Amino acid sequence: MSDATPETIYLKDYQPFPFQIAQVELTFRLKPRATRVLSRIAFTPNPARPGRHDLFLHGEKLKLISAAIDGKPLPDSALAITAGGLTVAAAHLPQGPFTWEAEVEIDPEGNTALEGLYMSGGIYCTQCEAEGFRKITYYPDRPDVMAPFRVRIESEMPVLLSNGNPEGRGKGWAEWDDPWPKPAYLFALVAGDLVNLPDRFTTRSGREVELNIWVRKGDLDRCHYAMDSLKRSMTWDEEVYGREYDLDIFNIVAVDDFNMGAMENKGLNIFNSKLVLASPETATDLDFERIEGVIAHEYFHNWTGNRITCRDWFQLCLKEGLTVFRDQEFTSDMRSAPVKRIADVLTLRARQFREDMGPLAHPPRPDHFVEINNFYTATVYEKGAEVIGMLKHLVGDDGYRRALALYFDRHDGEAATIEDWLKVFEDATGRDLTQFKRWYTDAGTPRLSVSEAWNDGTYTLTFAQATAPTPGQAEKPARVIPIAVGLLNPNGDEILPTTILEMTEGTQSFRFEGLATRPIPSILRGFSAPVVLDRKVTQAERAFLLAHDTDPFNKWEAGRSLARDALSRMILEGEDPSGQLISALEAMAGDDSLDPAFRALCLHLPSADDLAQSLADAGHEPDPDRIHAEQKRLAKAIAARLEPTFERLFGAMEVHGAYAPDAAQSGARALRLAALSYLNRIDGGARAKALYASATNMTVRQGALICLIENGTAEAALADFRDRFGANRLVMDKWFASQVLHAPPADAPGVAARLAADPDFDWKNPNRFRALMGGLSANHAGFHQSSGAAYDFYAGWLIRLDALNPQTTARMSTAFETWARYDAGRRAKARAAIERVLATPGLSRDSTEMLARMLAARQT
Ligand code: BES
Ligand code: ZN
């Protein structure tokens, strides 16, 4: 298929593959520019597709050396080869089982797309999800074709790894055997000059598992936290889900060049090094938390993804939504559940709500795509996880446990669908989930409006749900929405503990009888459904809930909406910074009975993009400059009023003793740095400067550095930072990102351009590219400068990267996702930038699909 005529794939066209595979044998003769891949695949007819069929094997950018069936070389006339694969006509195939053998040549060093077999810093590695295996050899590269793999690697590299258990090794070769049938996207191979951090784990049934984290020499001392996280993940999955590991060995490899975060290849997870390597001096508390969460996520895929995989890529949220849900549960168990929930909702709103309200909106289970790599989205991941959270609310903890046990029991070894998933919940609990399924098939974020009535001891809550049309979906029938509600007395006592109301109609009322006084409701506790709550609430009631709500999520949410309302009024009406908000924050920040991490979250004001989203949602054209100015004005007013509180916290939250990346210490550091960022607005930068100089860990060092950048006084600190960490790629990513992200908006495009010309701007490295360009697009007023300078600069770099790495380019193009929100002047400039990228000759299918969808947003 040519990139010029991208073909759309539809869920409704699914058909099983006409053949099954009994065994795959692969031999790799590794050479940087000319690797030979020999394959032997034992095919048998698939009873699900009776009759005679052609054999179609995917294959891209392969040089075919030879092909044979049952030992007989195939003449050229028997093969039809296109850019997407190869077909052997049925007439050339034996009627029963047969063996396909082929030899192909590939070029790992020339593979800049980082998909298939490629080289990263001298290490051979693979990335096959979603459709990268077809760049390694001819194969039915689809997840419903599962097979056991045997792999032989021939190379002079000292460490040779693949999936499964080691079968043997000698000088220049190694063999691996993976007994568990798997789809090709889980294949992995690594060869390099690596060293390992070894460890062991004994499963609860007594299997001895060898654990290794493989890295380059010099990085070994930064693997301990990842290893510790792995062992805790293994224990947790046994205790909470009853899932044990199923091979004798589990390997993790860290590589520097990686399009994504990490990949769950069976028995051989491959990670972006930023999600493995950490020491107190080089990684922040947030980095440690992410490492723990991603190690868990990829490990959990061993059951939710690998043992039970997806029938086709439309079912992606079957494995990703569920595995995100599981890693979220794990992190709440390891750390603070309320803090984790708030952080997850912040991400959901920032990424998924943004997606759902814009031109890229799609359901958690899409029904068509052009390039599947473009569907590893916040909707598939984060909303996919929220949908499972709602299911759990509806069937209860016990129902969830029984449904999951049935899922593993019924579908182990299979490639399953969302229908299979919902069926286990129906069968385990007796519930009808027909209406619930809409959460999987419908795009868009429902808006839930609330009205209330009080009459003679009876309190009535009435909800109405409405979802705006999304691309390709005009009709939005009512969904089932679990609404967690609690009621408080005016004196702050809880009179109704959290109760789940099940809304199934477009409009529906719920009554609470026999109450002595009119209650104050706490609605959507724990954010029980991914909806926008629309309720007219006074600032006084929000302040009351911030002070009294027993649900920690809604307590935070009350403060959040207080701040959002205050800022919206400041932006739209030029009001003075709200006194109510500031007093409420003062009471909260100074309350030492509250978790410091929670208080830090409450002190973070809504982001500019968040404000722009809610303004746009309310029908305004957000003005990025005004948003920025009012954010600054509010922060300064808060700093001035709360100076004594912040001074006290800055002292009291200092952590003494050995560094630990745990919830307690990182919470204290987060609150201290939140206090610092306010004080920094009124102390001329004195504290930040001193703190930078005395910092003993990266969390504090980076926090202080950001303050200095915001003040425009970071020159010396930036030079010092580079002196200390110039040789550490991951730390230098922070150096690049911080300077652009925290630059005064007017300077942002200039700072970005200067950094892009820096000799250390290795733009072919995805982490480095994301650091600089992601920093720019996240500098809201900087990116959306009315001159369009940042749009142009950004578009130029998208064009440049697309020629090498379409996947990362397409992901980065979502910086333009919100372009249609802004005023006509900005829209025209953004549109021109998008059109310039789209007009690039030879632009990848990945970027073409994304940019074309974004452009369809608005015709002005
Ligand atoms: N299976 C994915 C990795 C992947 C994504 C491969 C897209 C190919 C295309 C992996 O399990 C994953 O989800 N990784 C996430 C991190 C995770 C914690 C959400 C990632 O890489 O960002
Ligand atoms: Zn995943």
Side-chain angles (χ1 to χ4, degrees):
M1 181 203 326
S2 102
D3 284 354
T5 53
E7 190 189 320
T8 303
I9 320 282
Y10 294 92
L11 168 61
K12 64 174 167 45
D13 294 341
Y14 173 81
Q15 287 227 324
F17 189 60
F19 303 91
Q20 294 175 321
I21 298 182
Q23 181 75 45
V24 178
E25 288 168 32
L26 301 172
T27 299
F28 288 82
R29 305 203 167 119
L30 297 177
K31 290 277 178 310
R33 303 244 45 149
T35 287
R36 288 290 172 100
V37 184
L38 288 76
S39 59
R40 230 183 111 83
I41 307 170
F43 286 104
T44 60
N46 184 350
R49 293 283 305 274
R52 298 199 66 182
H53 298 275
D54 295 349
L55 174 67
F56 176 75
L57 302 178
H58 294 104
E60 285 176 15
K61 301 197 160 87
L62 306 173
K63 186 164 140 199
L64 182 63
I65 307 295
S66 66
I69 283 183
D70 288 339
K72 288 191 272 304
L74 278 172
D76 283 354
S77 60
L79 292 171
I81 299 183
T82 65
L86 143 178
T87 306
V88 184
H92 293 279
L93 298 171
Q95 293 247 5
F98 61 90
T99 300
W100 160 268
E101 283 169 286
E103 180 167 356
V104 301
E105 188 175 293
I106 53 179
D107 175 8
E109 199 159 272
N111 180 350
T112 58
L114 314 184
E115 198 188 40
L117 177 66
Y118 66 96
M119 307 211 63
S120 171
I123 302 166
Y124 291 89
C125 63
T126 54
Q127 171 54 41
C128 294
E129 189 179 1
E131 299 180 331
F133 192 74
R134 61 190 63 181
K135 294 178 168 179
I136 292 178
T137 192
Y138 285 103
Y139 196 79
D141 187 7
R142 39 185 288 170
D144 58 343
V145 175
M146 299 172 79
F149 280 60
R150 292 180 65 94
V151 175
R152 176 179 168 88
I153 310 170
E154 298 175 7
S155 162
E156 293 313 312
M157 288 290 190
V159 176
L160 307 175
L161 307 171
S162 190
N163 315 92
N165 296 318
E167 275 285 292
R169 52 180 286 190
K171 204 186 149 3
W173 65 275
E175 289 181 2
W176 292 83
D177 179 52
D178 185 359
W180 299 104
K182 66 167 177 289
Y185 82 86
L186 292 172
F187 168 82
L189 175 151
V190 171
D193 191 2
L194 298 165
V195 291
N196 64 318
L197 175 69
D199 211 322
R200 306 199 63 77
F201 184 85
T202 309
T203 69
R204 65 176 183 183
S205 72
R207 181 196 282 271
E208 285 289 326
V209 185
E210 177 186 333
L211 310 176
N212 293 297
I213 297 183
W214 298 91
V215 295
R216 278 211 293 250
K217 289 194 184 75
D219 289 339
L220 259 191
D221 54 340
R222 286 185 290 150
C223 298
H224 290 91
Y225 191 74
M227 181 59 88
D228 186 53
S229 303
L230 173 61
K231 289 184 285 180
R232 283 185 281 113
S233 307
M234 296 177 85
T235 304
W236 187 91
D237 215 14
E238 291 186 349
E239 287 176 353
V240 181
Y241 280 81
R243 300 294 108 198
E244 272 187 49
Y245 189 59
D246 55 3
L247 290 167
D248 303 333
I249 186 164
F250 188 77
N251 285 312
I252 290 176
V253 181
V255 297
D256 286 342
D257 301 276
F258 204 72
N259 283 333
M260 301 292 293
M263 177 64 208
E264 70 265 26
N265 316 298
K266 184 81 188 188
L268 178 53
N269 288 1
I270 299 180
F271 272 62
N272 186 320
S273 55
K274 75 172 180 201
L275 292 164
V276 173
L277 303 179
S279 71
E281 296 74 32
T282 61
T284 62
D285 291 334
L286 197 63
D287 293 328
F288 278 96
E289 184 173 336
R290 281 208 194 105
I291 289 171
E292 176 182 72
V294 181
I295 292 268
H297 178 98
E298 306 310 337
Y299 175 72
F300 296 160
H301 269 314
N302 192 54
W303 277 93
T304 51
N306 301 4
R307 287 286 288 258
I308 304 180
T309 193
C310 300
R311 187 193 73 175
D312 52 68
W313 292 119
F314 297 105
Q315 321 296 329
L316 182 58
C317 74
L318 179 73
K319 77 176 177 80
E320 294 302 347
L322 175 54
T323 305
V324 169
F325 183 73
R326 275 151 51 70
D327 81 53
Q328 291 174 343
E329 292 182 298
F330 169 76
T331 301
S332 355
D333 285 356
M334 294 297 122
R335 292 163 180 259
S336 150
V339 167
K340 174 62 175 162
R341 185 63 186 143
I342 294 166
D344 287 340
V345 174
L346 277 168
T347 323
L348 182 79
R349 285 180 173 152
R351 300 186 48 223
Q352 201 278 325
F353 281 23
R354 165 176 155 126
E355 187 166 75
D356 233 358
M357 291 173 187
L360 301 179
H362 57 276
R365 185 177 70 180
D367 56 14
H368 65 280
F369 62 74
V370 172
E371 169 52 60
I372 185 57
N373 280 333
N374 289 337
F375 283 83
Y376 286 74
T377 59
T379 297
V380 167
Y381 277 68
E382 266 80 36
K383 189 164 179 178
E386 289 300 315
V387 171
I388 295 177
M390 284 190 285
L391 253 182
K392 193 172 179 185
H393 278 306
L394 293 174
V395 303
D397 291 356
D398 195 53
Y400 179 78
R401 199 187 41 73
R402 281 183 281 119
L404 267 283
L406 183 58
Y407 180 61
F408 292 122
D409 202 45
R410 187 182 282 175
H411 295 293
D412 187 12
E414 291 182 3
T417 60
I418 290 300
E419 282 74 14
D420 294 329
W421 164 253
L422 289 172
K423 187 80 166 60
V424 298
F425 278 81
E426 292 190 326
D427 291 352
T429 67
R431 271 191 82 107
D432 177 350
L433 294 173
T434 313
Q435 189 186 8
F436 186 82
K437 190 177 171 188
R438 287 182 185 146
W439 281 107
Y440 282 106
T441 57
D442 292 6
T445 304
R447 174 177 292 278
L448 193 61
S449 3
V450 191
S451 59
E452 45 205 295
W454 166 250
N455 189 357
D456 220 7
T458 299
Y459 178 69
T460 307
L461 278 173
T462 302
F463 298 95
Q465 57 168 302
T467 308
T470 53
Q473 282 187 336
E475 292 296 308
K476 301 288 177 181
R479 305 185 195 182
V480 200
I481 304 181
I483 309 169
V485 168
L487 298 178
L488 304 177
N489 252 348
N491 67 7
D493 292 341
E494 187 169 79
I495 51 169
L496 176 78
T498 306
T499 303
I500 301 282
L501 309 177
E502 270 186 51
M503 182 180 190
T504 54
E505 310 290 328
T507 302
Q508 203 169 340
S509 296
F510 298 87
R511 287 149 64 104
F512 305 88
E513 283 164 357
L515 305 179
T517 48
R518 180 181 177 133
I520 292 104
S522 165
I523 300 172
L524 210 67
R525 283 185 156 181
F527 205 61
S528 59
V531 300
V532 173
L533 197 60
D534 186 5
R535 175 166 173 255
K536 302 276 162 292
V537 192
T538 62
Q539 293 293 74
E541 185 170 334
R542 293 201 158 121
F544 172 87
L545 287 172
L546 175 59
H548 298 291
D549 205 325
T550 52
D551 180 71
F553 177 83
N554 264 9
K555 188 177 172 75
W556 168 81
E557 178 84 317
R560 184 82 179 170
S561 40
L562 207 53
R564 200 188 295 113
D565 286 0
L567 274 162
S568 301
R569 279 203 315 275
M570 289 169 68
I571 293 161
L572 295 171
E573 293 149 30
E575 253 184 42
D576 267 342
S578 159
Q580 192 112 42
L581 167 68
I582 299 182
S583 326
L585 283 180
E586 183 166 29
M588 186 279 315
D591 182 350
D592 288 332
S593 72
L594 295 172
D595 180 358
F598 177 84
R599 285 187 274 167
L601 283 168
C602 291
L603 286 171
H604 282 138
L605 298 176
S607 73
D609 192 64
D610 183 336
L611 291 164
Q613 179 173 295
S614 52
L615 288 169
D617 201 27
H620 306 282
E621 275 176 0
D623 174 348
D625 301 322
R626 236 189 118 61
I627 292 175
H628 181 74
E630 294 304 316
Q631 278 183 311
K632 267 179 82 165
R633 192 156 74 99
L634 178 59
K636 197 156 183 172
I638 294 172
R641 268 278 300 278
L642 273 62
E643 186 177 3
T645 307
F646 290 145
E647 265 178 2
R648 179 178 73 78
L649 290 174
F650 186 74
M653 292 297 139
E654 183 173 357
V655 177
H656 300 280
Y659 175 92
D662 57 20
Q665 276 199 15
S666 52
R669 278 188 288 270
L671 182 53
R672 185 166 193 237
L673 290 173
L676 173 71
S677 84
Y678 283 104
L679 292 169
N680 187 55
R681 297 171 188 277
I682 51 177
D683 74 357
R687 285 186 187 80
K689 190 160 181 249
L691 195 63
Y692 179 87
S694 66
T696 56
N697 61 68
M698 182 51 72
T699 308
V700 169
R701 187 179 301 285
Q702 182 177 254
L705 180 67
I706 288 170
C707 287
L708 296 172
I709 294 170
E710 283 176 343
N711 289 350
T713 58
E715 211 173 316
L718 284 166
D720 169 84
F721 195 97
R722 189 177 198 148
D723 283 347
R724 285 171 194 265
F725 303 112
N728 186 317
R729 287 223 222 181
L730 298 174
V731 185
M732 284 304 285
D733 289 337
K734 300 181 193 301
W735 186 85
F736 277 92
S738 307
Q739 292 184 67
V740 201
L741 177 56
H742 300 283
D747 302 346
V751 170
R754 181 170 52 70
L755 289 173
D758 191 288
D760 281 337
F761 182 58
D762 172 10
W763 59 276
K764 297 177 187 173
N765 174 258
N767 289 355
R768 189 58 51 90
F769 190 91
R770 278 188 290 255
L772 178 46
M773 303 301 159
L776 178 59
S777 66
N779 185 324
H780 186 260
F783 185 68
H784 295 288
Q785 238 179 48
S786 57
S787 68
Y791 297 156
D792 286 341
F793 173 84
Y794 199 93
W797 278 100
L798 290 180
I799 292 170
R800 199 152 173 197
L801 187 66
D802 188 73
L804 297 190
N805 186 336
Q807 193 184 337
T808 291
T809 309
R811 291 186 83 80
M812 298 298 289
S813 74
T814 55
F816 286 110
E817 174 180 31
T818 58
W819 71 279
R821 270 184 195 161
Y822 299 93
D823 53 274
R826 287 183 169 86
R827 281 204 304 276
K829 297 197 159 90
R831 164 181 284 279
I834 296 170
E835 281 173 344
R836 177 158 74 97
V837 184
L838 262 175
T840 308
L843 191 76
S844 67
R845 177 175 54 187
D846 310 53
S847 300
T848 304
E849 180 188 23
M850 292 297 275
L851 293 160
R853 282 164 68 205
M854 284 188 257
L855 217 48
R858 185 162 187 152
Q859 297 310 328
T860 60

